[in-house]
Short mmCIF file of all heavy atoms in Angstrom, two decimals:
data_model
loop_
_atom_site.label_atom_id
_atom_site.label_comp_id
_atom_site.label_asym_id
_atom_site.label_seq_id
_atom_site.Cartn_x
_atom_site.Cartn_y
_atom_site.Cartn_z
N GLY X 1 -5.42 -7.48 -0.97
CA GLY X 1 -5.99 -7.32 -2.30
C GLY X 1 -6.13 -8.64 -3.03
O GLY X 1 -7.01 -8.80 -3.89
N PHE X 2 -5.27 -9.59 -2.70
CA PHE X 2 -5.35 -10.92 -3.31
C PHE X 2 -6.62 -11.64 -2.87
O PHE X 2 -7.34 -12.23 -3.69
CB PHE X 2 -4.11 -11.73 -2.93
CG PHE X 2 -4.17 -13.18 -3.33
CD1 PHE X 2 -3.89 -13.57 -4.63
CD2 PHE X 2 -4.51 -14.16 -2.41
CE1 PHE X 2 -3.95 -14.90 -5.01
CE2 PHE X 2 -4.56 -15.51 -2.76
CZ PHE X 2 -4.28 -15.86 -4.08
N TYR X 3 -6.93 -11.58 -1.58
CA TYR X 3 -8.09 -12.29 -1.05
C TYR X 3 -9.39 -11.53 -1.31
O TYR X 3 -10.45 -12.14 -1.43
CB TYR X 3 -7.90 -12.54 0.45
CG TYR X 3 -6.75 -13.44 0.75
CD1 TYR X 3 -5.51 -12.92 1.15
CD2 TYR X 3 -6.86 -14.82 0.62
CE1 TYR X 3 -4.44 -13.76 1.42
CE2 TYR X 3 -5.79 -15.66 0.88
CZ TYR X 3 -4.58 -15.12 1.27
OH TYR X 3 -3.52 -15.95 1.52
N TRP X 4 -9.30 -10.21 -1.40
CA TRP X 4 -10.49 -9.41 -1.67
C TRP X 4 -10.75 -9.23 -3.16
O TRP X 4 -11.69 -8.54 -3.55
CB TRP X 4 -10.35 -8.04 -1.00
CG TRP X 4 -10.28 -8.09 0.49
CD1 TRP X 4 -10.69 -9.12 1.29
CD2 TRP X 4 -9.77 -7.09 1.36
NE1 TRP X 4 -10.48 -8.82 2.61
CE2 TRP X 4 -9.91 -7.57 2.70
CE3 TRP X 4 -9.23 -5.82 1.19
CZ2 TRP X 4 -9.52 -6.83 3.81
CZ3 TRP X 4 -8.82 -5.08 2.29
CH2 TRP X 4 -8.96 -5.58 3.59
N GLN X 5 -9.88 -9.83 -3.99
CA GLN X 5 -10.03 -9.76 -5.45
C GLN X 5 -10.11 -8.31 -5.95
O GLN X 5 -10.97 -7.93 -6.74
CB GLN X 5 -11.27 -10.53 -5.90
CG GLN X 5 -11.18 -12.03 -5.69
CD GLN X 5 -10.13 -12.69 -6.60
OE1 GLN X 5 -10.15 -12.52 -7.81
NE2 GLN X 5 -9.21 -13.43 -5.99
N ILE X 6 -9.16 -7.50 -5.48
CA ILE X 6 -9.10 -6.09 -5.90
C ILE X 6 -8.21 -5.99 -7.12
O ILE X 6 -7.06 -6.43 -7.11
CB ILE X 6 -8.58 -5.21 -4.76
CG1 ILE X 6 -9.57 -5.24 -3.58
CG2 ILE X 6 -8.37 -3.78 -5.24
CD1 ILE X 6 -9.11 -4.45 -2.38
N HIS X 7 -8.73 -5.35 -8.18
CA HIS X 7 -7.98 -5.22 -9.43
C HIS X 7 -7.84 -3.76 -9.87
O HIS X 7 -7.59 -3.48 -11.04
CB HIS X 7 -8.67 -6.03 -10.54
CG HIS X 7 -8.72 -7.50 -10.25
ND1 HIS X 7 -7.64 -8.33 -10.42
CD2 HIS X 7 -9.73 -8.29 -9.78
CE1 HIS X 7 -7.96 -9.57 -10.08
NE2 HIS X 7 -9.23 -9.57 -9.68
N SER X 8 -7.98 -2.85 -8.94
CA SER X 8 -7.80 -1.42 -9.23
C SER X 8 -6.37 -1.01 -8.90
O SER X 8 -5.90 -1.21 -7.77
CB SER X 8 -8.79 -0.59 -8.41
OG SER X 8 -8.48 0.78 -8.50
N ILE X 9 -5.69 -0.40 -9.87
CA ILE X 9 -4.32 0.05 -9.64
C ILE X 9 -4.26 1.10 -8.55
O ILE X 9 -3.28 1.20 -7.81
CB ILE X 9 -3.71 0.60 -10.95
CG1 ILE X 9 -2.23 1.00 -10.75
CG2 ILE X 9 -4.51 1.79 -11.46
CD1 ILE X 9 -1.32 -0.13 -10.37
N TRP X 10 -5.33 1.88 -8.39
CA TRP X 10 -5.33 2.96 -7.40
C TRP X 10 -5.32 2.44 -5.97
O TRP X 10 -4.77 3.10 -5.08
CB TRP X 10 -6.54 3.88 -7.63
CG TRP X 10 -6.48 4.55 -8.98
CD1 TRP X 10 -7.28 4.32 -10.05
CD2 TRP X 10 -5.53 5.53 -9.38
NE1 TRP X 10 -6.90 5.10 -11.11
CE2 TRP X 10 -5.83 5.86 -10.72
CE3 TRP X 10 -4.46 6.16 -8.75
CZ2 TRP X 10 -5.08 6.79 -11.44
CZ3 TRP X 10 -3.71 7.10 -9.46
CH2 TRP X 10 -4.04 7.40 -10.79
N PHE X 11 -5.90 1.28 -5.76
CA PHE X 11 -5.83 0.68 -4.42
C PHE X 11 -4.38 0.38 -4.06
O PHE X 11 -3.91 0.74 -2.96
CB PHE X 11 -6.65 -0.61 -4.38
CG PHE X 11 -6.48 -1.40 -3.11
CD1 PHE X 11 -7.18 -1.08 -1.96
CD2 PHE X 11 -5.59 -2.48 -3.06
CE1 PHE X 11 -7.02 -1.82 -0.79
CE2 PHE X 11 -5.42 -3.22 -1.90
CZ PHE X 11 -6.14 -2.88 -0.75
N TYR X 12 -3.64 -0.23 -4.97
CA TYR X 12 -2.26 -0.62 -4.70
C TYR X 12 -1.34 0.60 -4.64
O TYR X 12 -0.40 0.63 -3.83
CB TYR X 12 -1.79 -1.62 -5.76
CG TYR X 12 -2.62 -2.89 -5.76
CD1 TYR X 12 -3.54 -3.15 -6.77
CD2 TYR X 12 -2.50 -3.80 -4.72
CE1 TYR X 12 -4.31 -4.30 -6.75
CE2 TYR X 12 -3.28 -4.96 -4.69
CZ TYR X 12 -4.18 -5.19 -5.71
OH TYR X 12 -4.95 -6.33 -5.68
N VAL X 13 -1.60 1.61 -5.47
CA VAL X 13 -0.81 2.84 -5.42
C VAL X 13 -1.02 3.54 -4.08
O VAL X 13 -0.06 4.03 -3.45
CB VAL X 13 -1.18 3.78 -6.59
CG1 VAL X 13 -0.64 5.19 -6.35
CG2 VAL X 13 -0.63 3.23 -7.90
N PHE X 14 -2.28 3.60 -3.62
CA PHE X 14 -2.56 4.25 -2.33
C PHE X 14 -1.84 3.53 -1.19
O PHE X 14 -1.29 4.19 -0.30
CB PHE X 14 -4.06 4.28 -2.06
CG PHE X 14 -4.42 4.86 -0.72
CD1 PHE X 14 -4.42 6.23 -0.52
CD2 PHE X 14 -4.72 4.03 0.36
CE1 PHE X 14 -4.73 6.76 0.73
CE2 PHE X 14 -5.03 4.54 1.60
CZ PHE X 14 -5.03 5.93 1.79
N MET X 15 -1.84 2.22 -1.22
CA MET X 15 -1.16 1.47 -0.17
C MET X 15 0.35 1.73 -0.19
O MET X 15 0.99 1.83 0.85
CB MET X 15 -1.43 -0.04 -0.32
CG MET X 15 -2.86 -0.43 -0.01
SD MET X 15 -3.34 0.09 1.65
CE MET X 15 -5.11 0.28 1.43
N GLN X 16 0.91 1.86 -1.39
CA GLN X 16 2.34 2.16 -1.50
C GLN X 16 2.66 3.57 -0.99
O GLN X 16 3.66 3.77 -0.32
CB GLN X 16 2.78 2.02 -2.96
CG GLN X 16 2.90 0.58 -3.44
CD GLN X 16 4.09 -0.13 -2.82
OE1 GLN X 16 4.00 -0.67 -1.72
NE2 GLN X 16 5.21 -0.13 -3.52
N ILE X 17 1.80 4.53 -1.32
CA ILE X 17 2.02 5.90 -0.84
C ILE X 17 1.93 5.95 0.69
O ILE X 17 2.78 6.54 1.37
CB ILE X 17 0.99 6.86 -1.46
CG1 ILE X 17 1.25 7.01 -2.97
CG2 ILE X 17 1.03 8.23 -0.78
CD1 ILE X 17 0.19 7.82 -3.69
N ALA X 18 0.90 5.34 1.23
CA ALA X 18 0.72 5.32 2.69
C ALA X 18 1.88 4.62 3.37
O ALA X 18 2.40 5.09 4.40
CB ALA X 18 -0.61 4.65 3.05
N ASN X 19 2.31 3.50 2.80
CA ASN X 19 3.42 2.76 3.39
C ASN X 19 4.71 3.56 3.31
O ASN X 19 5.52 3.56 4.24
CB ASN X 19 3.58 1.40 2.68
CG ASN X 19 4.25 0.37 3.57
OD1 ASN X 19 4.41 0.56 4.76
ND2 ASN X 19 4.63 -0.74 2.97
N GLY X 20 4.92 4.25 2.18
CA GLY X 20 6.12 5.08 2.05
C GLY X 20 6.18 6.16 3.11
O GLY X 20 7.25 6.46 3.66
N LEU X 21 5.03 6.76 3.41
CA LEU X 21 5.00 7.83 4.41
C LEU X 21 5.29 7.30 5.81
O LEU X 21 6.09 7.87 6.55
CB LEU X 21 3.64 8.53 4.38
CG LEU X 21 3.36 9.40 3.15
CD1 LEU X 21 1.92 9.90 3.17
CD2 LEU X 21 4.33 10.57 3.08
N VAL X 22 4.63 6.20 6.20
CA VAL X 22 4.81 5.71 7.57
C VAL X 22 6.17 5.04 7.75
O VAL X 22 6.69 4.98 8.87
CB VAL X 22 3.68 4.75 7.98
CG1 VAL X 22 2.34 5.47 7.96
CG2 VAL X 22 3.64 3.52 7.09
N GLN X 23 6.77 4.57 6.65
CA GLN X 23 8.10 3.95 6.78
C GLN X 23 9.19 4.97 7.06
O GLN X 23 10.28 4.61 7.49
CB GLN X 23 8.44 3.17 5.50
CG GLN X 23 7.64 1.90 5.33
CD GLN X 23 8.48 0.65 5.44
OE1 GLN X 23 9.67 0.65 5.19
NE2 GLN X 23 7.85 -0.45 5.83
N THR X 24 8.89 6.26 6.86
CA THR X 24 9.88 7.29 7.19
C THR X 24 10.10 7.42 8.69
O THR X 24 11.03 8.10 9.12
CB THR X 24 9.45 8.66 6.63
OG1 THR X 24 8.19 9.04 7.22
CG2 THR X 24 9.28 8.60 5.12
N THR X 25 9.25 6.81 9.49
CA THR X 25 9.44 6.87 10.94
C THR X 25 10.67 6.09 11.38
O THR X 25 11.23 6.35 12.45
CB THR X 25 8.21 6.29 11.66
OG1 THR X 25 8.01 4.93 11.23
CG2 THR X 25 6.95 7.09 11.33
N GLY X 26 11.11 5.13 10.57
CA GLY X 26 12.14 4.20 11.01
C GLY X 26 13.53 4.77 11.11
O GLY X 26 14.15 4.79 12.19
N TRP X 27 14.06 5.28 10.00
CA TRP X 27 15.48 5.62 9.96
C TRP X 27 15.88 6.74 10.92
O TRP X 27 16.81 6.58 11.71
CB TRP X 27 15.90 5.94 8.53
CG TRP X 27 17.37 6.10 8.38
CD1 TRP X 27 18.06 7.20 7.96
CD2 TRP X 27 18.38 5.10 8.65
NE1 TRP X 27 19.41 6.96 7.95
CE2 TRP X 27 19.62 5.68 8.36
CE3 TRP X 27 18.31 3.78 9.10
CZ2 TRP X 27 20.81 4.98 8.53
CZ3 TRP X 27 19.50 3.08 9.26
CH2 TRP X 27 20.73 3.69 8.97
N PRO X 28 15.20 7.91 10.90
CA PRO X 28 15.61 8.97 11.84
C PRO X 28 15.52 8.52 13.29
O PRO X 28 16.37 8.88 14.11
CB PRO X 28 14.62 10.11 11.54
CG PRO X 28 14.11 9.84 10.18
CD PRO X 28 14.08 8.35 10.05
N ALA X 29 14.51 7.72 13.61
CA ALA X 29 14.30 7.32 15.00
C ALA X 29 15.37 6.34 15.48
O ALA X 29 15.91 6.48 16.59
CB ALA X 29 12.90 6.72 15.18
#
């Protein structure tokens, strides 16, 4: 987002949601 000059909060929120979901793979495994 820094290099693409993205200034929409929804872009960063979506990335956080997606990252939160895929990060759940770590601990149980």
Side-chain angles (χ1 to χ4, degrees):
F2 172 80
Y3 296 99
W4 296 340
Q5 293 292 306
I6 296 177
H7 297 282
S8 170
I9 183 62
W10 297 111
F11 172 82
Y12 299 106
V13 166
F14 177 79
M15 291 304 153
Q16 286 289 85
I17 292 174
N19 205 12
L21 289 174
V22 298
Q23 288 247 334
T24 61
T25 58
W27 189 241

